[in-house]
Amino acid sequence: MTDLSTLPTDPGLMPAAAPVVIGLDTSLTATGIASSTGWCDTVGYKPRHKSDSITTQPHEQRLRSLLALLGDIILAVGRPGLVVLESPSLRSLGGGGHERAWLWWEVYRGLTVRDIPVALMSPSQRMMYATGKGSATKSAVVDAVARRWPDWSTGGDDNQADAVVLMAAGLDYLGYPVVPMPAANRAALTKSVWPEGVRGD
């Protein structure tokens, strides 16, 4: 467990050359990506028509679509100093669980084989870092992002907002908080999984 007393809390202490951190929330239709360089976006499968969906495609075509989506995500991530990846929500309902699991593991593999450090933050930890509570609505997280990190314009997109929270948490853990965060919010950092050596430990 991380000792929060060792983590800097004053954003004024942030060196000019902070590492690039990417927040990543995988999805078949709208993977949220946020970069500490100041941008956020979504990457997802682009259907050819309204009824087109990865989960309903024949298996051979489905695999091609998943591989193309994987490539788009890895390309968008680039070569950052750290990726904070939202860990799978084991309570998620709805279709596509098989495909979503494949995508998550392949994204994780694609990052690690490139020697990109990957941290894992659960949905509840992400909500806690954003709002101070481990359970929050999508709109509450979007509002918190707009209030705390207005330089990242999500346009109200909850996938991008989730990614911004993950990115900001990663910067905070590394010692470069974007803004001062309350202790209740920063408690989420102790429960997340961080790769060895990214803080010079």
Side-chain angles (χ1 to χ4, degrees):
M1 181 176 291
T2 303
D3 180 3
L4 283 182
S5 66
T6 67
L7 301 183
T9 58
D10 183 359
L13 299 177
M14 186 186 301
V20 175
V21 176
I22 294 288
L24 190 61
D25 180 18
T26 60
S27 164
L28 296 176
T29 57
T31 288
I33 302 179
S35 171
S36 60
T37 60
W39 60 267
C40 53
D41 205 347
T42 54
V43 176
Y45 173 70
K46 298 176 177 58
R48 295 167 296 176
H49 47 77
K50 287 185 177 180
S51 60
D52 183 22
S53 167
I54 285 182
T55 59
T56 60
Q57 292 175 346
H59 283 71
E60 185 176 348
Q61 181 182 348
R62 192 180 313 180
L63 180 58
R64 288 197 299 268
S65 297
L66 285 167
L67 287 169
L69 175 55
L70 171 65
D72 289 344
I73 293 171
I74 296 298
L75 180 63
V77 168
R79 290 275 187 175
L82 174 69
V83 170
V84 183
L85 176 64
E86 182 162 305
S87 55
S89 174
L90 301 180
R91 298 179 181 178
S92 291
L93 302 176
H98 187 58
E99 292 80 7
R100 284 186 281 111
W102 182 95
L103 180 63
W104 190 92
W105 277 110
E106 286 299 308
V107 166
Y108 181 83
R109 184 188 68 84
L111 297 172
T112 56
V113 299
R114 289 166 175 78
D115 295 322
I116 297 172
V118 179
L120 303 177
M121 180 171 263
S122 73
S124 63
Q125 291 153 11
R126 169 183 48 77
M127 294 176 204
M128 179 179 291
Y129 189 77
T131 69
K133 299 178 180 179
S135 179
T137 64
K138 291 181 180 294
S139 61
V141 173
V142 170
D143 290 345
V145 169
R147 185 176 68 256
R148 294 186 184 278
W149 304 287
D151 289 342
W152 284 264
S153 178
T154 68
D157 185 290
D158 59 272
N159 299 293
Q160 294 183 41
D162 290 348
V164 171
V165 177
L166 296 167
M167 175 275 301
L171 279 174
D172 195 346
Y173 177 78
L174 293 177
Y176 310 106
V178 182
V179 294
M181 296 293 288
N185 299 58
R186 298 186 83 233
L189 301 178
T190 67
K191 300 177 182 179
S192 300
V193 179
W194 302 97
E196 294 183 1
V198 295
R199 293 178 59 233
D201 297 337

